[in-house]
Amino acid sequence: MSQLKEIIYNCKKATSLIERKEIGRLTLRESVELKIHLAFCSVCRIFRRQSITINSMVKMLFNDAQQRQTKLDDTFKKSLQERIEDKLNKNGKKL
Amino acid sequence: MAVDPLQWVAKYADYLFTYAITRLNDDEQARDLVQETFLAALERIDRFEGKSSERTWLTAILKNKIIDVYRKKSSGLTGATEHLNGEEEPDFFDNVTGHWKAAHYPQVFGIEDPDRLDKKDFTRILQLCMQKLPALWLSVFTMKHMDDAPTENICTELKVTPSNFWVIIHRTKLNLRACLQKNWI
């Protein structure tokens, strides 16, 4: 296979470059290869758009979860509070 | 800044619990870690320098504990040989050319535009698909995307080589995306 043909055919490599580009860095050569591949390959263009969506949704998912806050139940909190007080008394630590 | 451990539970327990549970997806374990975090913090309270807020300080302790869990879960496994939970990992590409196999072509299925997405549905399926990932992959993925951890740190902390890291990132995304496409209605 010619080099160009290889670049155009190799979706496995292209998708891995897409991932590396999103969270890391590509060499100039890799970045050119990816551009060429994407110009010819509509399937990988779809992959790229979806991959970017997934990344941003994952971030949002975690931010949302943190903002909503899941509550610890009160019994557990109470026993936790007691353990802390206990430990403070035992250690006699100055605060 | 002063420390006041008597206020910790009231002020930070829910925050820390949420932090742990979004990263571990395990109630029991998340609770344990919150408790361990407070107790560990008490042990080294004299080392709290007040450079950061109490919450940041406690979160950093918790974060290390979460990484310990990740490490334990995935120790002995090398990312490249791990398997998907319950399913065989498909061969997405042709062995010789590296071209997508027709059966695995990514198709447009409505998640291409994040602005027009039903977030509730997406979140549910995304979580379901993430649960299928091997422990090490999920740890790598979570640390990268949730916490924006530098790649070198992830490699050191989870003991994966940089090249293995990229293999994991790639395969995680391929499988996650395929799972979303399959389960999206």
Side-chain angles (χ1 to χ4, degrees):
Chain A
M1 255 196 299
S2 78
Q3 217 181 2
L4 184 65
K5 220 171 165 187
E6 216 175 284
I7 292 171
I8 293 169
Y9 265 81
N10 199 338
C11 301
K12 185 174 184 178
K13 176 147 189 222
T15 51
S16 119
L17 292 178
I18 288 168
E19 293 309 303
R20 276 189 35 213
K21 190 179 175 200
E22 282 309 304
I23 56 174
R25 205 170 272 160
L26 298 185
T27 64
L28 184 61
R29 192 199 164 87
E30 288 167 336
S31 150
V32 171
E33 279 189 21
L34 179 58
K35 274 211 179 86
I36 296 172
H37 183 91
L38 288 173
F40 286 93
C41 182
S42 64
V43 182
C44 283
R45 287 202 296 272
I46 295 174
F47 176 91
R48 183 181 56 175
R49 284 175 67 189
Q50 293 174 338
S51 173
I52 292 171
T53 304
I54 291 169
N55 288 354
S56 69
M57 291 302 287
V58 166
K59 262 206 184 85
M60 202 154 65
L61 172 73
F62 293 127
N63 288 339
D64 283 1
Q66 191 66 53
Q67 263 156 32
R68 270 201 316 276
Q69 286 219 353
T70 319
K71 298 249 183 288
L72 255 178
D73 64 273
D74 291 336
T75 336
F76 187 76
K77 277 188 191 164
K78 216 177 144 223
S79 79
L80 204 50
Q81 182 71 29
E82 281 162 8
R83 284 197 72 166
I84 290 175
E85 285 170 16
D86 214 39
K87 204 162 168 152
L88 282 173
N89 289 337
K90 248 185 230 148
N91 294 1
K93 276 202 174 141
K94 280 176 284 170
L95 295 179
Chain B
M1 209 178 283
V3 267
D4 185 3
L6 292 174
Q7 294 295 317
W8 283 354
V9 173
K11 275 186 175 162
Y12 311 119
D14 288 335
Y15 177 87
L16 295 173
F17 181 61
T18 309
Y19 189 93
I21 211 169
T22 46
R23 284 159 181 79
L24 295 169
N25 225 323
D26 180 334
D27 272 58
E28 197 77 21
Q29 203 162 36
R31 272 169 180 230
D32 287 349
L33 288 195
V34 173
Q35 172 160 316
E36 282 176 33
T37 299
F38 286 144
L39 298 180
L42 283 176
E43 294 285 341
R44 53 183 114 147
I45 202 156
D46 20 340
R47 276 187 271 158
F48 177 74
E49 291 172 333
K51 279 184 189 147
S52 53
S53 71
E54 261 184 317
R55 192 177 87 174
T56 310
W57 183 59
L58 291 166
T59 309
I61 297 174
L62 174 61
K63 200 169 181 175
N64 281 320
K65 296 198 175 295
I66 292 172
I67 292 170
D68 281 342
V69 172
Y70 286 162
R71 204 180 292 139
K72 262 180 219 144
K73 269 192 191 162
S74 53
S75 70
L77 303 167
T78 59
T81 55
E82 260 196 294
H83 290 291
L84 293 183
N85 302 337
E87 275 168 51
E88 206 165 311
E89 187 185 359
D91 232 339
F92 294 101
F93 304 102
D94 183 280
N95 277 336
V96 180
T97 62
H99 202 69
W100 286 100
K101 286 186 179 169
H104 298 295
Y105 274 0
Q107 283 158 14
V108 174
F109 61 97
I111 68 157
E112 295 71 28
D113 185 355
D115 295 334
R116 300 181 54 192
L117 208 53
D118 182 339
K119 304 218 164 74
K120 236 185 182 162
D121 278 350
F122 188 88
T123 305
R124 189 176 51 80
I125 299 170
L126 183 61
Q127 277 171 323
L128 186 128
C129 289
M130 280 170 62
Q131 287 319 304
K132 289 188 183 168
L133 298 171
L136 178 61
W137 296 14
L138 188 57
S139 306
V140 169
F141 187 77
T142 309
M143 284 177 79
K144 191 72 223 177
H145 289 284
M146 212 184 304
D147 296 328
D148 255 330
T151 300
E152 310 84 72
N153 294 11
I154 300 177
C155 290
T156 322
E157 276 157 355
L158 298 180
K159 296 195 179 79
V160 293
T161 62
S163 72
N164 210 351
F165 170 86
W166 290 111
V167 171
I168 291 172
I169 287 285
H170 187 206
R171 289 170 72 185
T172 299
K173 185 58 69 62
L174 287 170
N175 285 289
L176 205 50
R177 198 216 63 81
C179 177
L180 281 163
Q181 177 169 316
K182 194 169 141 201
N183 290 289
W184 192 264
I185 310 152

